[in-house]
Amino acid sequence: MNLIHAELCIKDGKNVIYYNKDLSQCYKNLKQNFTCVYLDEPVPVKSRLINAILAISKDQTPTLSRFTIIELIKILVTELENRRLIIFFNHFDRLTPRSAHVYQQLNSYKNIIFVCNFNQDITPDLYPFFKTFELMNKEEYRLASGENEINITYAAYALISGTCFFIYLKAASYMLIATMLIGGVWFALIIYRTLIYAGGRI
Amino acid sequence: MRSYTHIAAAILFYMILAFLLELGHFLLGLILAAWISVFPDLVDRLTGKHRGIGHSLLWFIPFSSLFIFNVDIGAAILVGFLSHLFMDTFTVHGCPALYPILETNFVCLAKKRRIKTGTKMDKAVFVFLIFLIVPAALFATGNHALIIGDEENSTAFATRTSPTTSSPYTIKNDVTLNFRLDEATNKNVTVERINENMTTILVKDMDPGG
């Protein structure tokens, strides 16, 4: 984990996101310098907001669940005053459109920064929020997501099958031509079919 | 993939090509194909970027120019090189075949089924290739009779060796005999013309002694 780069991004007021990394190490390092809240899961958003308020508030008020989400956001911002709050949560990909909207509202305050991770593909609903993040391990994500690759599986299957067809024709030269051709085509098709079965569809 | 897997793949592909096209210089071609199959990794080790310029199809141009000097050697080197690129497409990260024009990796199979270098899967591919090399070697060296039987050699053809005369009866009397010699014993063939309408052909096994 590139913690120095992450800290620089946070100081610049940018949100930080990791692909397939454990945030606990990052949390341990940053909580020494910043006010941090670690939320294991981003949803349900209301209870997560209550957790965040309880973590930063001096008064432990047990009646927060009576408030609406909008009111909880206002309480959180009021409690923060001018302090910078870093909210950690895992599984960014599990955000629902509604919960993402709430977190985006929080993101509109300059003193609230998010540090997240994700393990699966991001749905299009989350892209507007995702774009506000700086991805720390871009190369790792690029390799894992396969966004920069061309899959030539079927061409390779066809090449292997074609080669097998010619090998069969050559090896079976003592047979009658018709049998050879039909057998060769059948053999190549069997090879192609087997490769699809063994190699799997893409 | 490890170098030994690449070498095995290059040997197999060269044997197949040698069998199909009946290439000469078989042993030399085999050695060249095996050596050139590790060439991309050697180049990348020198340049410091793995799966870089060494894995580019740009090498196709100088290698294919070897065809001018010798077709067999050119084919061996080209097969050795292309087999490396082909096998690398089955690895997790694929092969950047169009590097440096395009850094896109060419891959085969779904991500979960691709081969990780140095794993048991890599070794399994190597063993599988060795199993394929054995019959390929028999075919490429002309010893395929061990597998498919010697049926070609057990058929004999007997045709008239004397020149055809310009007689009007030439077509009528032109006989072609085709024997299957399953018993692998010599035959004594006697053709006797009884009269204008009848000809007798006698086929007898010859005694081993004479």
Side-chain angles (χ1 to χ4, degrees):
Chain A
M1 293 180 92
N2 195 345
L3 293 173
I4 297 165
H5 187 202
E7 201 166 337
L8 285 173
C9 286
I10 289 163
K11 280 177 182 170
D12 290 344
K14 291 178 189 169
N15 297 327
V16 169
I17 195 162
Y18 288 95
Y19 173 72
N20 210 15
K21 294 280 181 194
D22 183 16
L23 289 180
S24 56
Q25 184 65 38
C26 190
Y27 173 69
K28 279 175 193 168
N29 274 43
L30 291 174
K31 76 174 181 182
Q32 294 164 1
N33 303 327
F34 302 96
T35 308
C36 298
V37 175
Y38 190 90
L39 310 173
D40 198 33
E41 290 277 330
V43 285
V45 72
K46 189 173 177 178
S47 62
R48 297 296 170 259
L49 279 173
I50 292 168
N51 288 351
I53 292 166
L54 291 175
I56 61 164
S57 176
K58 291 162 192 168
D59 304 321
Q60 299 293 310
T61 47
T63 53
L64 285 171
S65 56
R66 286 185 303 157
F67 295 102
T68 63
I69 288 172
I70 304 294
E71 286 167 338
L72 287 171
I73 290 171
K74 280 179 186 170
I75 292 167
L76 180 67
V77 174
T78 314
E79 287 286 342
L80 270 178
E81 296 168 353
N82 291 323
R83 281 184 295 166
R84 178 171 282 183
L85 173 68
I86 302 172
I87 299 174
F88 289 78
F89 67 81
N90 298 302
H91 306 300
F92 182 90
D93 45 281
R94 288 186 192 171
L95 278 175
T96 59
R98 188 170 165 274
S99 57
H101 181 71
V102 174
Y103 283 112
Q104 268 183 299
Q105 263 186 293
L106 279 175
N107 191 41
S108 63
Y109 296 97
K110 285 184 179 177
N111 56 337
I112 298 176
I113 311 279
F114 289 95
V115 177
C116 313
N117 75 3
F118 69 107
N119 306 320
Q120 290 170 5
D121 290 338
I122 306 291
T123 56
D125 297 330
L126 302 178
Y127 263 107
F129 188 32
F130 182 74
K131 278 180 182 174
T132 64
F133 285 82
E134 183 86 10
L135 182 59
M136 290 289 109
N137 45 353
K138 281 180 187 166
E139 186 65 17
E140 201 176 322
Y141 177 63
R142 190 180 66 82
L143 289 171
S145 64
E147 62 176 12
N148 192 25
E149 62 187 30
I150 297 170
N151 203 313
I152 54 164
T153 305
Y154 293 132
Y157 288 178
L159 181 72
I160 295 168
S161 305
T163 311
C164 288
F165 171 73
F166 286 111
I167 292 168
Y168 187 83
L169 281 190
K170 181 88 177 173
S173 59
Y174 59 90
M175 293 172 72
L176 291 171
I177 295 293
T179 318
M180 277 167 54
L181 283 173
I182 293 166
V185 169
W186 166 82
F187 187 67
L189 284 173
I190 291 286
I191 293 286
Y192 190 84
R193 169 75 184 77
T194 309
L195 286 170
I196 286 177
Y197 177 74
R201 294 174 191 276
I202 49 172
Chain B
M1 272 184 194
R2 293 272 185 233
S3 54
Y4 51 78
T5 314
H6 282 301
I7 290 169
I11 287 172
L12 175 69
F13 290 137
Y14 180 73
M15 280 179 174
I16 290 168
L17 195 77
F19 169 63
L20 290 176
L21 304 179
E22 293 172 3
L23 297 174
H25 302 100
F26 181 71
L27 205 60
L28 178 66
L30 214 60
I31 293 163
L32 282 173
W35 176 77
I36 215 76
S37 69
V38 290
F39 172 82
D41 285 341
L42 290 176
V43 171
D44 282 350
R45 194 165 286 180
L46 289 173
T47 55
K49 185 185 186 304
H50 189 53
R51 295 176 200 276
I53 192 74
H55 288 71
S56 172
L57 273 175
L58 282 178
W59 291 99
F60 188 86
I61 300 163
F63 288 152
S64 59
S65 65
L66 290 168
F67 274 94
I68 300 164
F69 304 107
N70 191 310
V71 176
D72 297 335
I73 290 170
I77 286 175
L78 211 57
V79 163
F81 176 70
L82 291 178
S83 77
H84 187 111
L85 303 195
F86 183 71
M87 293 306 287
D88 267 357
T89 59
F90 288 91
T91 58
V92 175
H93 299 313
C95 175
L98 297 179
Y99 188 89
I101 301 159
L102 196 68
E103 288 198 28
T104 307
N105 289 320
F106 288 82
V107 294
C108 279
L109 310 179
K111 187 172 281 296
K112 285 179 184 174
R113 289 176 186 256
R114 289 182 208 151
I115 301 155
K116 271 189 180 177
T117 306
T119 57
K120 283 180 181 173
M121 212 171 169
D122 192 349
K123 285 166 190 158
V125 171
F126 171 70
V127 173
F128 178 68
L129 289 170
I130 294 294
F131 274 110
L132 287 178
I133 282 173
V134 175
L138 290 173
F139 276 98
T141 53
N143 293 318
H144 56 281
L146 292 171
I147 299 173
I148 61 173
D150 203 9
E151 198 161 342
E152 278 179 49
N153 297 333
S154 66
T155 305
F157 293 92
T159 53
R160 191 176 60 182
T161 51
S162 58
T164 308
T165 58
S166 57
S167 161
Y169 305 107
T170 301
I171 297 169
K172 205 174 180 179
N173 297 334
D174 203 0
V175 176
T176 301
L177 300 174
N178 188 359
F179 296 100
R180 281 179 65 89
L181 304 177
D182 294 332
E183 295 167 6
T185 52
N186 291 329
K187 304 281 184 185
N188 193 356
V189 181
T190 311
V191 180
E192 186 182 357
R193 189 182 176 198
I194 309 297
N195 54 45
E196 281 189 359
N197 297 322
M198 189 182 288
T199 304
T200 308
I201 301 169
L202 289 170
V203 181
K204 286 182 180 174
D205 289 348
M206 282 178 71
D207 292 332

